[in-house]
Amino acid sequence: MEHLELFFKSIFVDNMVFAYFLGMCSYLAVSKKVSTAVGLGAAVIFVLTVTVPLNWLLDQYILQEGALSWLGAEYAEYDLSFLSFILFIATIATMVQLVEIIVEKFSPSLYNSLGIFLPLIAVNCAILGGSLFMQSREIEGFSLALNYGFSSGIGWFLAIVAIAAIREKIRYSNVPAPLRGLGITFIITGLMAIGFMSFGGMLTGGDEEAPASEVRAAQIELPSGELEKENTASIEVVEVSEITQE
Amino acid sequence: MGLLSKKDRKLILDPLADDNPITIQVLGICSALAITAQLKPSIVMAVSVIFVLGVGNVVISLMRNIIPSKIRIIVQLIVVATLVIIVDQVLKAFAYSLSKELSVFIGLIITNCIIMGRFEAFALGNGPWRSFLDGVGNALGYGVILIIVGFFRELLGSGTLFGFKVLGDSVEKTGLYAIGYENNGFMVLPPMALIVVGIIIWVQRSRNKALIEEH
């Protein structure tokens, strides 16, 4: 149940692109054609699924306060969490390189379709963002971290494939000249994000008592001081649950 | 700016408008939009990026002749990550609540494409002083967009600027609220950041026709 909830939450409610704008650079640059978008999306799913659990292990056994206690009692007080940026990004860059080499060796056809995107991915914010969110939300357990990496990858995949499909269609429409290309893509993404906000009620609608851990996670991820945001979000939730009741 | 030659001045001023990293080069959008619901985090973010990009460009430019080109991406990432850790620790020490508010987005400066983009495109081929100007210029261009977006989102969404109630009190109905004005709660939600940037692009490109894209 916990797994299922995290799975759908990461895909729809906390969608990387629509809720946090992660990986926007490649999202905008590589979404001109559906086929390339599928390639990049698949590569992102793959790399996220590998790096998030790996960084979870790093976080649990090296970085967190007291994480080094497995080395001996005298190390129990170390808190290396300030090193997490540099370790996470090093893991990601290494993994991407490794994945590239392995894929090239064992599946040249996959490499040809995925290959050019792999170096791009090392600096894709969605990948580092996945690891950093995993850390700040204190995801418990290796399998949950694996699940989180995989499902946020799918969320990103859905987003880029959807926008690529829309951009292929919009080529035939009469967009005002200054908005063509980048401008209209931004606005469409905004509208899609509004659409995705309606998924916010998916996990709370009907089920009144949210588990304590989820409430805590929600508090962490909402930038504090944005009370209005929370209010409007809950209004949205109410509206959605009314609709489902009808 | 008597200090700067004409060419150097171009390095700083170009990214502010016609070569803006966000609206023209499409770089660094990732971490830009999520924190612009209010003006204060936008400015902090802008300053952090100015620091990281300015210093990072100088460091990379100084090392440009000794970095083997095969591992340059990792070297660049390490340089940025180090600088970002400095920013993060400074924020944690002096502005803890703000650093909580920015949460993971300070860390995401590392993968901000502007930074890698400028390292690759400029710092690897130019001297330290010019690289510094280029870094500061591009980070300023990024900051300008952040501040414009933050300004409109906070003003229209919460009716405040830097937390000051410039439009009157919405609860006690003073100022503009007395005549029936309401905050647009939508502006503080994430999707509006995208739409505001879309509108900025629209305005900019209708003023400068040369920037219009062919589909």
Side-chain angles (χ1 to χ4, degrees):
Chain A
M1 195 56 215
E2 211 180 348
H3 276 279
L4 212 61
E5 196 177 305
L6 183 73
F7 185 73
F8 285 111
K9 192 164 178 273
S10 321
I11 295 182
F12 294 110
V13 184
D14 291 338
N15 187 288
M16 285 262 180
V17 174
F18 296 131
Y20 299 104
F21 313 112
L22 296 180
M24 283 298 277
C25 308
S26 29
Y27 170 84
L28 291 168
V30 197
S31 61
K32 288 205 172 100
K33 274 173 67 189
V34 174
S35 53
T36 44
V38 170
L40 182 66
V44 166
I45 296 183
F46 191 55
V47 174
L48 263 176
T49 318
V50 176
T51 55
V52 171
L54 212 63
N55 281 335
W56 183 87
L57 287 178
L58 274 180
D59 189 45
Q60 286 294 304
Y61 294 107
I62 296 181
L63 294 171
Q64 269 181 10
E65 193 173 358
L68 284 172
S69 51
W70 57 271
L71 269 180
E74 66 268 40
Y75 296 101
E77 282 157 26
Y78 283 89
D79 179 6
L80 296 179
S81 52
F82 68 95
L83 280 178
S84 47
F85 293 157
I86 217 164
L87 264 185
F88 283 0
I89 198 72
T91 319
I92 290 168
T94 326
M95 277 321 292
V96 169
Q97 202 95 81
L98 212 66
V99 165
E100 202 182 338
I101 295 169
I102 294 173
V103 171
E104 189 182 10
K105 177 106 176 125
F106 290 105
S107 172
S109 64
L110 184 65
Y111 179 77
N112 284 336
S113 56
L114 215 83
I116 42 167
F117 299 120
L118 280 172
L120 254 179
I121 281 178
V123 287
N124 187 325
C125 338
I127 309 292
L128 182 62
S131 291
L132 290 175
F133 271 127
M134 174 274 298
Q135 190 189 34
S136 76
R137 287 179 193 167
E138 297 168 17
I139 285 182
E140 288 159 33
F142 182 79
S143 57
L144 275 177
L146 187 75
N147 181 347
Y148 177 70
F150 180 62
S151 48
S152 21
I154 292 186
W156 202 90
F157 176 87
L158 276 183
I160 194 170
V161 173
I163 191 77
I166 294 177
R167 283 181 85 170
E168 276 193 3
K169 286 275 175 216
I170 213 158
R171 209 166 299 153
Y172 306 107
S173 347
N174 192 10
V175 179
L179 262 181
R180 257 176 226 157
L182 190 57
I184 195 70
T185 314
F186 265 101
I187 291 177
I188 292 172
T189 312
L191 295 176
M192 286 165 79
I194 294 172
F196 262 69
M197 273 168 52
S198 54
F199 286 118
M202 199 167 72
L203 294 172
T204 45
D207 187 18
E208 288 313 317
E209 44 167 1
S213 65
E214 203 200 336
V215 173
R216 199 186 55 200
Q219 278 166 350
I220 293 168
E221 71 206 30
L222 273 177
S224 52
E226 286 185 31
L227 280 176
E228 276 97 333
K229 182 175 171 180
E230 249 173 288
N231 287 343
T232 16
S234 57
I235 292 167
E236 187 101 341
V237 169
V238 172
E239 277 170 3
V240 170
S241 54
E242 273 168 8
I243 293 167
T244 38
Q245 275 163 13
E246 279 165 19
Chain B
M1 288 219 219
L3 192 71
L4 304 172
S5 70
K6 203 171 169 192
K7 235 167 121 190
D8 288 349
R9 211 176 309 160
K10 215 168 125 58
L11 284 178
I12 290 236
L13 294 182
D14 258 10
L16 290 183
D18 288 348
D19 196 22
N20 189 287
I22 292 190
T23 60
I24 309 299
Q25 304 173 28
V26 211
L27 295 175
I29 296 139
C30 330
S31 53
L33 298 174
I35 42 92
T36 49
Q38 281 163 327
L39 202 46
K40 206 167 141 201
S42 321
I43 289 180
V44 172
M45 190 71 178
V47 173
S48 318
V49 171
I50 291 174
F51 168 77
V52 172
L53 192 49
V55 178
N57 248 1
V58 171
V59 174
I60 292 292
S61 163
L62 287 174
M63 298 199 300
R64 68 184 186 277
N65 294 327
I66 50 169
I67 304 177
S69 73
K70 271 199 168 164
I71 58 160
R72 66 179 194 284
I73 302 257
I74 295 219
V75 174
Q76 289 164 359
L77 282 175
I78 299 291
V79 171
V80 195
T82 318
L83 291 168
V84 170
I85 288 176
I86 296 173
V87 169
D88 185 50
Q89 295 293 317
V90 168
L91 276 181
K92 271 194 183 134
F94 295 105
Y96 189 71
S97 61
L98 208 60
S99 103
K100 270 276 162 276
E101 206 171 306
L102 289 169
S103 68
V104 302
F105 291 99
I106 285 291
L108 288 175
I109 295 178
I110 300 173
T111 46
N112 191 323
C113 338
I114 292 184
I115 298 190
M116 297 297 276
R118 290 331 287 173
F119 283 2
E120 283 282 309
F122 202 92
L124 281 175
N126 288 281
W129 172 239
R130 282 171 56 82
S131 300
F132 176 72
L133 293 179
D134 177 80
V136 171
N138 274 286
L140 277 176
Y142 167 88
V144 164
I145 300 288
L146 237 65
I147 289 166
I148 295 175
V149 178
F151 174 82
F152 282 112
R153 284 183 74 194
E154 187 173 356
L155 185 68
L156 300 176
S158 327
T160 57
L161 284 177
F162 293 111
F164 294 113
K165 292 169 178 149
V166 286
L167 297 181
D169 199 308
S170 58
V171 183
E172 291 163 20
K173 302 282 176 213
T174 57
L176 262 183
Y177 298 99
I179 54 170
Y181 176 81
E182 287 285 344
N183 282 331
N184 183 356
F186 219 54
M187 290 299 279
V188 292
L189 296 175
M192 283 314 285
L194 287 163
I195 294 179
V196 172
V197 175
I199 293 170
I200 293 175
I201 294 175
W202 192 357
V203 171
Q204 192 183 17
R205 292 189 183 182
S206 29
R207 286 165 55 97
N208 186 348
K209 300 279 185 219
L211 301 173
I212 291 175
E213 285 176 52
E214 288 297 316
H215 286 291

